Amino acid sequence: MDRPGLLFFVALLLPVIALAAVKDPPVDDEHWSNKYDDHFRKYSKHYFGPAFDWRWFKAQGIAESNLKPKAKSRVGAKGVMQIMPATFREIQKKNPHYKDITTPRWNIAAGIYYDRQMYKLWKKENENISPKERLAFALGCYNAGFGGVRKAYRKASTSDKKAQSWQEVSPYAPKETRNYVKRIHGLMQTASVPKPEPTSAPENDEQKQQQPKSFLYHFFRQR
């Protein structure tokens, strides 16, 4: 390639390189609205216990919709947490007070409730998966469905050794799901540091009330 051609090629690449270098501001940056923080706090505490870092779910809301309550996907998912209407109706059966999928409070509550259900399913699937990793699996399920992540999990496991980390499973997950979990990780990795975490997650309602302060601080940071 001659010099003018090379310079032209580099000029074309520069915007792509610059775009790839752009990262999200951290989840607690003023760039992101704090309008719904109380809802994220309330339902994180309700479903995961008072020690859980509620910002994981705000980061998830950013990954889903950039916290836009009127967001609607091409397949019909709605609201801050991009919930499908059929999924919301199923959640309503257990939570009839969740009135409307388009109301940010109930949309966020339903999304965190769903996260909790996925978290519990991975406890049943493999009780040796640590609470830190279980959250990653739950977030992956929110994007790809439990079946989609379990399929990747089985590919990553062998008859001698079951996969126990998202790092092991993610190469077999859909690209969209890998990027989704990675984006949440990125939003949390640069956030301000909360108090030290305990070593386990609450598994039932009684434990949720007894859990000591701060849980699951930046499990990706240790990678």
Side-chain angles (χ1 to χ4, degrees):
M1 182 182 293
D2 58 18
R3 183 177 178 81
L6 178 61
L7 290 175
F8 178 73
F9 180 71
V10 171
L12 287 176
L13 280 179
L14 283 175
V16 177
I17 295 171
L19 183 63
V22 173
K23 293 184 178 181
D24 286 316
V27 67
D28 49 8
D29 188 270
E30 62 182 10
H31 174 82
W32 305 113
S33 172
N34 62 6
K35 186 175 181 179
Y36 308 116
D37 285 7
D38 286 347
H39 299 325
F40 286 112
R41 287 190 185 98
K42 177 182 177 68
Y43 293 102
S44 173
K45 179 179 179 180
H46 183 71
Y47 289 117
F48 283 83
F52 195 93
D53 189 345
W54 60 272
R55 297 176 303 171
W56 281 108
F57 302 119
K58 181 174 182 177
Q60 186 180 20
I62 292 169
E64 287 290 344
S65 69
N66 286 330
L67 303 177
K68 295 178 180 178
K70 295 183 179 180
K72 184 176 179 179
S73 77
R74 65 181 184 279
V75 296
K78 295 182 178 181
V80 173
M81 301 298 278
Q82 288 292 278
I83 298 175
M84 293 295 290
T87 302
F88 188 81
R89 289 192 293 271
E90 287 299 312
I91 292 171
Q92 271 186 317
K93 292 178 182 178
K94 296 284 187 179
N95 304 274
H97 56 291
Y98 287 6
K99 298 177 181 178
D100 182 3
I101 191 174
T102 60
T103 300
R105 175 182 178 180
W106 306 123
N107 189 282
I108 290 167
I112 297 175
Y113 172 87
Y114 187 86
D115 282 323
R116 179 63 183 177
Q117 302 314 302
M118 296 301 100
Y119 184 89
K120 288 163 66 177
L121 282 175
W122 280 104
K123 171 68 174 179
K124 294 179 180 178
E125 185 74 20
N126 183 347
E127 63 181 10
N128 293 320
I129 296 174
S130 73
K132 296 177 183 180
E133 297 297 336
R134 208 180 305 151
L135 178 61
F137 280 69
L139 294 172
C141 289
Y142 197 100
N143 179 263
F146 180 75
V149 175
R150 184 164 60 176
K151 183 177 179 180
Y153 166 78
R154 288 176 174 173
K155 287 182 178 179
S157 300
T158 67
S159 58
D160 298 325
K161 184 179 182 295
K162 299 292 186 182
Q164 295 187 32
S165 72
W166 178 250
Q167 189 173 24
E168 293 174 275
V169 171
S170 62
Y172 301 96
K175 182 178 180 180
E176 178 186 332
T177 304
R178 297 197 304 269
N179 290 338
Y180 176 79
V181 176
K182 183 178 180 181
R183 187 180 181 197
I184 296 171
H185 146 220
L187 286 158
M188 285 297 291
Q189 193 171 38
T190 53
S192 58
V193 179
K195 295 178 183 178
E197 66 188 64
T199 56
S200 62
E203 298 300 341
N204 54 49
D205 292 339
E206 290 74 22
Q207 287 176 305
K208 280 189 277 183
Q209 300 303 317
Q210 298 170 6
Q211 188 74 2
K213 289 188 175 181
S214 195
F215 164 62
L216 281 179
Y217 164 54
H218 301 172
F219 62 90
F220 284 103
R221 186 185 289 264
Q222 300 175 2
R223 298 192 182 286

